[in-house]
């Protein structure tokens, strides 16, 4: 999953980014409101983590602009802890609101819940035949046996599973599991798909030549 963090406190942004990347997220960071708004409108992120007090364009304005065109889940991360601010944030389109200082574990749990709900999968468990994916622990089992996946293999599997029955193009894969700094090459997706088939079954992921990949409903 790919997320955008808009946070002007550099040290805090680094800490949050590190925690997110350790959980397997592809992360883009903007340190001011103008850049954050540009990126949020340009890319279809799986979620947005948004500070409110930003230089240039503030978080309130970013939220308002974003909601004119996109349904991207938004988790507000802010020092503004007044009840009126929380009400304003939620009423103006935020999906959740977390005040600073916060526990990184709680932030990650809230983020996982937002993404699951946005994909119409409120349960952390995704079951496909004898494959079970636990999106909380990022573990995969096949027939009750744990399957070891690399972080990118897991991210690709989760993306395909959340879009079960839908065609997932290579462009969608690049957009959702790599950030702007990602070092990719032309056949990287094919390599990961091949690896998933070896570990989960040859017919688990089907290829639609020239179009993309699909896990059947």
């Amino acid at each position: 999953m790919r997320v955008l963090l808009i946070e002007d406190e550099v040290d805090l942004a680094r800490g949050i980014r590190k925690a997110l990347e350790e959980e397997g997220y592809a992360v883009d960071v903007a340190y001011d409101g103008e850049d954050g708004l540009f990126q949020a409108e340009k890319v279809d992120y799986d979620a947005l983590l948004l500070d409110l007090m930003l230089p240039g364009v503030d978080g309130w304005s970013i939220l308002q602009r974003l909601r004119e065109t996109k349904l991207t889940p938004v988790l507000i991360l802010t020092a503004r802890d007044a009840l009126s601010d929380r009400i304003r944030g939620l009423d103006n389109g935020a999906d959740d609101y977390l005040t600073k200082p916060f526990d990184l574990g709680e932030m990650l749990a809230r983020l996982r819940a937002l993404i699951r709900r946005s994909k119409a999968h409120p349960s952390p468990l995704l079951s496909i035949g004898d494959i079970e994916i636990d999106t909380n622990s990022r573990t995969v089992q096949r027939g009750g046996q744990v399957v070891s996946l690399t972080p990118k293999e897991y991210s690709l599997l989760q993306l395909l599973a959340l879009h079960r029955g839908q065609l997932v193009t290579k462009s969608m894969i690049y957009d959702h599991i790599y950030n702007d700094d990602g070092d990719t090459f032309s056949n990287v997706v094919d390599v990961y798909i091949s690896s998933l088939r070896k570990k989960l079954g040859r017919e688990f992921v089907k290829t639609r030549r020239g179009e993309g990949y699909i896990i059947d409903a």
Side-chain angles (χ1 to χ4, degrees), residues 19 23 75 98 102-112:
E23 288 293 305
L75 171 57
L98 190 58
F102 50 81
D103 180 81
L104 286 172
E106 180 182 4
M107 181 205 74
L108 291 168
R110 288 174 181 262
L111 180 62
R112 288 193 296 267

Side-chain angles (χ1 to χ4, degrees), residues 7 30 46 108 112 122 131 133 141 145 156 174 179 198:
E7 170 60 67
D46 293 291
L108 291 168
R112 288 193 296 267
I131 308 297
I133 305 163
Q141 293 188 27
Q145 300 297 312
L156 176 55
Y174 286 124
N179 61 16
K198 289 177 182 177

Side-chain angles (χ1 to χ4, degrees), residues 79-141:
R80 300 181 68 105
D81 60 356
L83 177 60
S84 59
D85 287 321
R86 295 199 297 272
I87 292 172
R88 179 184 176 188
L90 295 169
D91 279 348
N92 282 274
D95 298 273
D96 203 353
Y97 194 107
L98 190 58
T99 58
K100 300 175 182 177
F102 50 81
D103 180 81
L104 286 172
E106 180 182 4
M107 181 205 74
L108 291 168
R110 288 174 181 262
L111 180 62
R112 288 193 296 267
L114 286 186
I115 293 175
R116 288 198 308 267
R117 290 198 298 268
S118 73
K119 308 295 185 185
H121 287 281
S123 170
L125 297 177
L126 303 174
S127 296
I128 305 171
D130 65 346
I131 308 297
E132 185 172 271
I133 305 163
D134 188 329
T135 60
N136 283 348
S137 63
R138 294 176 60 83
T139 56
V140 179
Q141 293 188 27

